[in-house]
Amino acid sequence: LVIANAAHSENIAKFIENGEVQLYYDNVEKFNTQDAGVVIHGTIANEGATDFTIDVSQDLCFDSGHGDFYFKDTGSTILNLYESSDDLYLLNPRGDGDIIFQGIDGSSGITALTLDMSEAGQAIFNATVQATGALLTDFLEVRADDAELYLSNAANNRYFRMQRNNSTAGIDLQFYDGSSTSTRLSFLPA
């Protein structure tokens, strides 16, 4: 069954027995049913003032033949996920727009990590950073509000501690051997 305009020059819909249904706009196919689902040619838009929900009982798959996924707010891209050479990229395309990771700690909302794009991607962690190793290719800058820096073994029963000496206004390098702490080196102010 074919529904066309009065002049029979443009298709409006086609209903194929035991087959697909095709819907047209200005003689251009926009919607097509298939045995595996539907094919849409163009954009799906929710022009109402309500949310648009996709609810599936199994996995929800997004498959882009080009490898780009754009998330937009009122037409402006706020997030771009894309693949290149088998690597996944996450991009905030707004100038100096940070990437912020948030979560719930107990019942309180927290910002766990901020990647500051106005500072070339500087990572700002809300709490401790744990790693099994670190490789520095340039320099290490450590700032601590309580003026102490610990270098500890994995069991945390031996450590070096660099600490501000409030009496001399200098810096002491101390070693803890598991039972006592001794100052091994002191830097005095000029």
Side-chain angles (χ1 to χ4, degrees):
L1 172 66
V2 176
I3 300 174
N5 63 353
H8 297 284
S9 60
E10 292 187 3
N11 290 323
I12 297 172
K14 289 184 181 178
F15 302 90
I16 300 169
E17 186 177 355
N18 298 321
E20 61 191 69
V21 172
Q22 300 169 353
L23 300 178
Y24 293 79
Y25 178 83
D26 198 19
N27 207 36
V28 176
E29 184 180 333
K30 294 296 181 179
F31 186 88
N32 180 320
T33 63
Q34 297 183 345
D35 61 347
V38 298
V39 175
I40 298 171
H41 305 277
T43 302
I44 299 174
N46 176 13
E47 296 181 358
T50 61
D51 294 338
F52 181 76
T53 302
I54 300 174
D55 188 1
V56 297
S57 61
Q58 298 293 320
D59 295 336
L60 178 62
C61 301
F62 296 95
D63 187 357
S64 167
H66 189 259
D68 280 294
F69 298 91
Y70 296 94
F71 295 83
K72 297 186 176 190
D73 181 15
T74 320
S76 296
T77 301
I78 58 172
L79 173 64
N80 177 211
L81 298 175
Y82 65 97
E83 179 270 337
S84 179
S85 301
D86 293 330
D87 295 323
L88 174 67
Y89 291 80
L90 184 147
L91 169 69
N92 178 353
R94 296 182 176 190
D96 291 336
D98 297 342
I99 296 175
I100 300 170
F101 295 85
Q102 295 185 320
I104 305 295
D105 183 359
S107 60
S108 301
I110 62 160
T111 296
L113 168 64
T114 300
L115 301 178
D116 187 347
M117 296 306 146
S118 65
E119 293 293 333
Q122 172 181 304
I124 303 166
F125 292 88
N126 185 42
T128 304
V129 176
Q130 294 184 3
T132 58
L135 173 63
L136 302 174
T137 57
D138 195 359
F139 69 94
L140 173 65
E141 178 180 350
V142 178
R143 297 181 187 186
D145 292 337
D146 58 3
E148 292 185 359
L149 171 64
Y150 286 85
L151 301 174
S152 175
N153 65 349
N156 200 26
N157 58 14
R158 287 177 173 70
Y159 57 79
F160 280 100
R161 175 173 65 189
M162 189 177 292
Q163 179 181 29
R164 181 179 55 228
N165 185 323
N166 291 326
S167 299
T168 66
I171 300 290
D172 292 339
L173 181 61
Q174 300 174 330
F175 177 69
Y176 178 73
D177 63 7
S179 61
S180 64
T181 303
S182 61
T183 297
R184 298 297 177 94
L185 185 61
S186 293
F187 298 93
L188 299 175

